[in-house]
Amino acid sequence: MNQAALHRLMTSKRWKKSENSPEDLFQLRLSTNLSLISSLFFSLYPKEKNELFFYQLLNRMEELFSNRSKELKSLDLERLQDGNWYQSERLVGMQLYVDRFNKNIKGLYEKLPYFDELGVNFLHLMPITTRPSGENDGGYAVNSYYEIDSKYGTKKEFSAFTKQARKENMVLMLDFVVNHTSDEFEWAKKAKGGDEKYQNYYYTYPDRQIPDAFEKTMPEIFPESAPGSFTYNKEMGKWVMTCFNTYQWDLNYTNPEVFIEMLANLVRLANMGVDVIRFDALAFLWKKIGTDSQNLPEAHHLISLFRMCLQVIAPGVILLAEAIVAPRNIIKYFGEGPLKGNECEVAYNASLMALLWNSIATKKTSLLHKSLLEIPSKPVDGSWINYIRCHDDIGLGYDDDFIRAIGWSPSEHRSFLLDYYSRGLEWSPAKGLMFMYNPKNGDGRITGSAASLLGLEEALEQKDIRKIDQAISKILMLHGIILSYGGIPLIYAGDEFGTLNDYSFTKDSDHKNDSRWVNRPMQDWKTIEKLPTTENHTSQIFKGLKKMIQLRKKLSVFADKQPAIIHPSPNEHVFLFERTDGKSKVWVISNFDEAPQFLEVGWLFSIGISFGREPKDLITKKELLLDEGRLKLNPYQHMWVALD
Ligand code: GLC
């Protein structure tokens, strides 16, 4: 049973019961979730030894609820009454680094009109809390979960920002770096000082015996810059687990105290006025010798336990799963079996993202179709974050069986994609970099901005107008897909006007070992100022995107109530899906080829596009015309088709 549905029921205006106070409702939510909370807790922490911790947890939850502000408590209830608000077609998101966007929180506040102009009303702010001063993985090495780093501003400024943002109906998402802290976090400092209690908050070992056993089956995340999964800490005289960078210490969730303390940190973050919490790197939360220590059943229990407790304390706050894992594993973060609907409400659609990049390189949509049709669908109450680029690399997370099924070799195919995007393949227009190439197995990932990966950088260098136009079409086509697919589209700041790669990271000693910084540019306000008056690639992209955003918000078929219906087209270059709200329909058609492509009118009729009913492209407002009984699609053309 989806617990959120029960909480919604309890706040429904249709239930004519006497008014409950927020405290009564807290108690009601607690009783509703208690059986799940206890079974999840004791599945991770056996009852014989941990009963006391369970009572500690319950007391902590009451305390955390009482610390939540009145204003947020009433917002929680409003959100519950709104139902699945996160599935609305009216949401359009942007992800940004506050300092790179406009210096600091104050600067961000000043730019609220910019979001409004573009139609963005959902913001993912990258970490803004304190972090080590040198390398810090873009803030994903946290010194605190709620103290704002002075380079961004003060708590007061942040609170002024959230208040104003809320007034303007802006939804706010922040990260909860749940898997690890920095090596400067207060617990890490105490551990280094010899405090055993805090050494047990992490996976620490006096010798290599257990680390060696773990490393036999644990894949390396950053093989170039941080090989292995353990780091020796001299001060402590012990090895500590560090799956990511050497300065990011993995939290030991086999210790129930860690869970209780981290729940408190999660609520403190939510109390900053956050609507969506991005559960960072959540696939890694539970480690077990002999496994790859990713996506383990215990990790799912732990996430659901966080979810069930947070739902009692702050029921308006939802969770986003940052699980950049194999397609079949991503789906599991919505919750499976008894946990269905009780894990994360939203997940990154990393599969769609990676498949779109595959279709750009191959100019074919066969792998895209096969994967989308065969991956089990998400639950109806869940939703996606759809994106083409973010601050991270593009991992080639395809299902090998699907690659084989269409007749390609998985390793050769991945190697081709690395050549196409980051090894300068001769005919490829893409300009990207390699990320974390592992010569031991040939694995690698791709970095680069959307525009550079889609050929705009090369086209501008060559001053080739045809290529520039093609790159613009590709940029708009991919954004058109994420705006219409179903879920919250998340635009990466800078992509809205085709920002190119930023190579300056190679000169920065804290960034030069991490090529993801090539796609973390400073927001270029000079160019933005000129957008209304210039006619070039930047303004074409911005205007094209803005138009689609405005249109998306008017089309109820784009709310994520019913999933996209994929129609595998007989033309292997064309991607076609249908969206419906039960009443009207829109067909989204994209040509992934650099040559014109055609669709037979008979086939279009078979999927409902009847030319007798004057089909129209809603983006250009033009009627669809036939060319000798076929619909012609120009290179990289993208349409939202509706019937009269
Ligand atoms: C997530 C973040 C990434 C970071 C990693 C470790 O994957 O998106 O940027 O390096 O977690 O925190």
Side-chain angles (χ1 to χ4, degrees), residues 394-410:
I394 302 172
L396 307 179
Y398 313 107
D399 191 317
D400 283 357
D401 291 342
F402 297 156
I403 302 183
R404 277 189 214 101
I406 55 173
W408 300 334
S409 134

Side-chain angles (χ1 to χ4, degrees), residues 292-477:
D292 63 359
S293 294
Q294 289 181 32
N295 308 303
L296 294 181
E298 292 88 343
H300 286 283
H301 285 197
L302 186 65
I303 299 159
S304 187
L305 182 58
F306 271 118
R307 162 81 264 147
M308 291 300 99
C309 295
L310 186 69
Q311 199 170 62
V312 172
I313 304 164
V317 179
I318 62 166
L319 301 185
L320 162 69
E322 195 248 347
I324 313 302
V325 294
R328 289 174 199 280
N329 282 329
I330 296 182
I331 287 290
K332 297 182 182 161
Y333 289 88
F334 290 112
E336 278 192 313
L339 300 185
K340 194 168 175 184
N342 293 327
E343 228 175 295
C344 296
E345 283 84 352
V346 189
Y348 275 103
N349 202 345
S351 312
L352 179 69
M353 181 276 296
L355 287 161
L356 291 175
W357 288 105
N358 178 71
S359 289
I360 288 287
T362 58
K363 306 192 181 92
K364 291 189 180 135
T365 55
S366 30
L367 188 61
L368 181 62
H369 284 140
K370 182 150 191 70
S371 310
L372 293 182
L373 285 168
E374 296 196 21
I375 301 167
S377 53
K378 63 162 182 62
V380 281
D381 291 314
S383 197
W384 294 116
I385 287 273
N386 291 311
Y387 64 117
I388 60 172
R389 284 303 285 121
C390 68
H391 68 296
D392 278 332
D393 47 290
I394 302 172
L396 307 179
Y398 313 107
D399 191 317
D400 283 357
D401 291 342
F402 297 156
I403 302 183
R404 277 189 214 101
I406 55 173
W408 300 334
S409 134
S411 61
E412 279 173 30
H413 187 61
R414 287 203 173 84
S415 175
F416 156 73
L417 291 172
L418 293 178
D419 289 346
Y420 180 94
Y421 284 114
S422 43
R423 282 196 288 230
L425 184 68
E426 202 193 324
W427 55 267
S428 164
K431 278 204 160 191
L433 298 179
M434 180 73 84
F435 181 63
M436 297 295 154
Y437 183 68
N438 190 344
K440 285 184 240 161
N441 54 18
D443 280 353
R445 281 117 79 183
I446 298 155
T447 51
S449 78
S452 292
L453 292 173
L454 291 171
L456 186 61
E457 187 174 330
E458 189 188 90
L460 289 170
E461 276 165 11
Q462 297 175 352
K463 300 196 175 63
D464 184 325
I465 297 195
R466 191 188 60 89
K467 284 191 184 167
I468 294 176
D469 282 347
Q470 266 193 7
I472 295 172
S473 302
K474 283 193 253 183
I475 293 169
L476 290 175
M477 177 178 83

Side-chain angles (χ1 to χ4, degrees), residues 409-580:
S409 134
S411 61
E412 279 173 30
H413 187 61
R414 287 203 173 84
S415 175
F416 156 73
L417 291 172
L418 293 178
D419 289 346
Y420 180 94
Y421 284 114
S422 43
R423 282 196 288 230
L425 184 68
E426 202 193 324
W427 55 267
S428 164
K431 278 204 160 191
L433 298 179
M434 180 73 84
F435 181 63
M436 297 295 154
Y437 183 68
N438 190 344
K440 285 184 240 161
N441 54 18
D443 280 353
R445 281 117 79 183
I446 298 155
T447 51
S449 78
S452 292
L453 292 173
L454 291 171
L456 186 61
E457 187 174 330
E458 189 188 90
L460 289 170
E461 276 165 11
Q462 297 175 352
K463 300 196 175 63
D464 184 325
I465 297 195
R466 191 188 60 89
K467 284 191 184 167
I468 294 176
D469 282 347
Q470 266 193 7
I472 295 172
S473 302
K474 283 193 253 183
I475 293 169
L476 290 175
M477 177 178 83
L478 292 194
H479 280 105
I481 293 172
I482 61 162
L483 281 164
S484 56
Y485 188 75
I488 306 168
L490 194 66
I491 299 161
Y492 185 54
D495 285 352
E496 72 276 23
F497 57 98
T499 303
L500 305 178
N501 283 344
D502 174 3
Y503 298 102
S504 65
F505 77 97
T506 51
K507 293 183 208 102
D508 182 327
S509 59
D510 292 333
H511 297 163
K512 66 175 196 280
N513 292 327
D514 187 339
S515 75
R516 289 176 298 177
W517 287 96
V518 81
N519 48 258
R520 297 171 181 177
M522 303 296 276
Q523 188 80 339
D524 178 358
W525 292 103
K526 278 203 184 114
T527 299
I528 294 173
E529 261 165 44
K530 289 190 218 128
L531 286 174
T533 49
T534 33
E535 254 318 311
N536 66 4
H537 59 280
T538 57
S539 58
Q540 269 171 274
I541 295 168
F542 188 84
K543 285 176 196 159
L545 188 57
K546 184 174 158 179
K547 190 171 171 188
M548 288 192 289
I549 291 174
Q550 285 172 343
L551 194 54
R552 164 187 159 96
K553 293 187 177 183
K554 287 191 203 132
L555 295 169
S556 60
V557 290
F558 288 157
D560 196 20
K561 300 254 162 57
Q562 301 197 30
I565 304 164
I566 313 290
H567 292 294
S569 87
N571 182 324
E572 62 175 0
H573 304 286
V574 177
F575 180 39
L576 198 155
F577 59 85
E578 176 187 327
R579 300 298 316 281
T580 178

